[in-house]
Amino acid sequence: MDPHLRSELSMGRLDHYYDVMRTTIFSYVAIAAIIGFGPEGISLVLIVLVISTAAYGILAGKTGLEDVENLRDDMDEEFAQTNFARGLKTRNMKGLILTSNILLGLIGLAELIAIFA
């Protein structure tokens, strides 16, 4: 794979991950505002929104980061010998994926508890 193409794909997938996380966090904030300040009796709608937001953030974010990880593993030998590439290979992408998924799941769980409280 051409290094320029790999770089473009990687940046595109990282931008996608950023967009997913931004959308998910803003959705969680909006849902929290509705839980705190909204009318009573819309709990079923809020439950569906929380579950949808959590699923979207976890699945789409995980996919974006896995694609970046796969692109990182496809480096050609010349690029892999650079300091930048060696630094990229030391990044714990699985840890980032796990942390991201756990945090999004915890936020969703906290909102579900708030709905039922």
Side-chain angles (χ1 to χ4, degrees), residues 72 86-94:
R72 178 187 69 176
R86 285 193 291 269
L88 285 177
K89 288 197 179 254
T90 64
R91 302 292 186 261
N92 184 359
M93 294 297 287
K94 298 254 188 266

Side-chain angles (χ1 to χ4, degrees), residues 6 10 15-16 19 28 30 34 40 45 67 76-77 102:
R6 184 179 48 252
S10 180
D15 285 345
H16 176 246
D19 292 342
Y28 275 147
I34 293 168
E40 299 295 322
V45 174
D67 286 349
D76 59 5
E77 282 301 315
I102 287 172

Side-chain angles (χ1 to χ4, degrees), residues 20-21 24 27-28 31 47-61 101 104-109 111-112:
V20 166
M21 290 302 109
T24 303
S27 296
Y28 275 147
I31 293 168
I47 291 168
V48 171
L49 284 172
V50 169
I51 292 171
S52 300
T53 300
Y56 167 75
I58 290 170
L59 296 174
N101 290 344
L104 291 177
L106 286 174
I107 294 169
L109 181 63
E111 287 192 345
L112 288 174

Side-chain angles (χ1 to χ4, degrees), residues 64-74 93-94 97:
L65 289 177
E66 284 176 342
D67 286 349
V68 171
E69 184 179 31
N70 291 336
L71 287 166
R72 178 187 69 176
D73 294 340
D74 284 342
M93 294 297 287
K94 298 254 188 266
I97 292 168

